[in-house]
Amino acid sequence: MIDYSRILELIKKYNTFLITTHVNPDGDALGSELALAYFLRKLGKKFHIINYSPTPENYLFLDEENLIQKYNREHDAIIENVDMIFAVDFNQLGRVRSMMNVFDRSKAYKIVIDHHRNPQNFVDDIFTDIEAPATGILIYKLIEAYDVNLIDKKVADALYAAIMTDTGSFRFERITPELHIITAELIKKGANPTYIYNKIYNELSYEKLILLGHAITNIKLVDSGKIAYMVLDRALLNKFVPNEAEFDVEGFVNFCLSVKDSIVGILFYELPYSIKVSLRSKEKFPVNYVAEKFGGGGHLNAAGIRFDGENLNDVIQRVITQTIEDLSKYIEENNA
Ligand SMILES: [Mn+2]
């Protein structure tokens, strides 16, 4: 159980805040940051939101006041001098990439608010709940612990986006009655489900849709169809999105799980100097265990790995082999 009154005490005690989140932020990261910032503003506090990565285009609508800044060295003085830092939706210092040094040497009181497994000890206080389906839920409870009336339409939209995206639009494991009750409250406060869904998921560029089409056309099945995977190699990316170094392919991997009888979906995404692997699963098969074996991490049903300077085919082979091994153990244990 998270002691929200403790976080509120800290907020009362301090005046200037930094909010930050992980590299390549998703809807939960951004929605949680914004909702927290709006809350701090209502309390008359000063805040900065500074992220290592720019905000992906499909999430810009959430930040209509342009509160989120992309990190550069000129922010170092701010980061060093704020009273308190919120690390939201991540629990490993490396997840802020080149911001990690200034984060580390800042004299601020630092806390993590998060729902991932295996937190690293890099802050003064960790507030984590690995049962929570989204960090957005934790931010909701924090504001509720102070005064639920401070949740206005802007806060509600941000938290709705956080929860919707981290639950696969209310499909993943860990969907509870409580989650829907909180979501209902957000809709009462003015969150607009249709608008938010369309903004986030239905504004693909033509190039991205065609790329997705090719990725789907080339989905491969292994392990008697229990594993479905897709590969985005440089040749394909250069053909359709030649000018983008790291094209946003969020959501592509989920199509692997649309195949009947598939349990694990994997996307191999070849970047200029590294390979990004996204894993998704059905049921209770823990893809985060597979990811952790390669230095990655995540949740039960969604995890990721990054390989630097390795060969694409080697990576595919190693990850698939490991997944087959883990999956056969999982099936054995669950049929026993
Ligand atoms: Mn999250």
Side-chain angles (χ1 to χ4, degrees), residues 178-199:
E178 185 197 33
L179 173 104
H180 277 289
I181 289 167
I182 289 175
T183 307
E185 283 305 318
L186 295 174
I187 296 171
K188 274 191 206 164
K189 303 278 188 191
N192 186 334
T194 314
Y195 178 76
I196 293 170
Y197 186 94
N198 283 333
K199 278 301 214 185

Side-chain angles (χ1 to χ4, degrees), residues 28 89 115-116 135 166 299:
D28 188 29
D89 197 44
H115 66 142
H116 294 85
T135 296
D166 249 29
H299 304 291

Side-chain angles (χ1 to χ4, degrees), residues 17-65:
F17 299 83
L18 169 75
I19 304 170
T20 190
T21 191
H22 54 80
V23 57
N24 300 325
D26 52 22
D28 188 29
L30 297 163
S32 295
E33 285 189 304
L34 286 166
L36 180 58
Y38 299 144
F39 174 56
L40 292 175
R41 184 162 67 187
K42 282 169 192 270
L43 300 181
K45 305 291 182 176
K46 288 205 165 57
F47 65 87
H48 301 270
I49 311 175
I50 300 172
N51 294 341
Y52 171 77
S53 303
T55 302
E57 236 171 77
N58 59 329
Y59 290 113
L60 284 174
F61 77 98
L62 282 177
D63 183 20
E64 52 187 20
E65 294 176 60

Side-chain angles (χ1 to χ4, degrees), residues 129-143:
D129 178 359
I130 62 162
E131 298 296 319
T135 296
I137 293 282
L138 309 180
I139 303 297
Y140 177 93
K141 290 181 175 173
L142 173 68
I143 302 174

Side-chain angles (χ1 to χ4, degrees), residues 243-293:
N243 302 320
E244 308 231 19
E246 184 160 352
F247 192 68
D248 169 31
V249 295
E250 196 189 319
F252 278 27
V253 63
N254 297 318
F255 287 91
C256 294
L257 288 182
S258 295
V259 186
K260 182 174 186 290
D261 297 329
S262 67
I263 299 175
V264 185
I266 311 176
L267 165 69
F268 297 93
Y269 177 21
E270 187 179 19
L271 295 162
Y273 300 102
S274 62
I275 296 157
K276 222 166 118 175
V277 181
S278 303
L279 301 110
R280 298 289 183 274
S281 66
K282 292 178 190 158
E283 305 175 13
K284 292 199 183 324
F285 177 69
V287 278
N288 53 325
Y289 288 172
V290 178
E292 280 161 19
K293 285 171 183 142

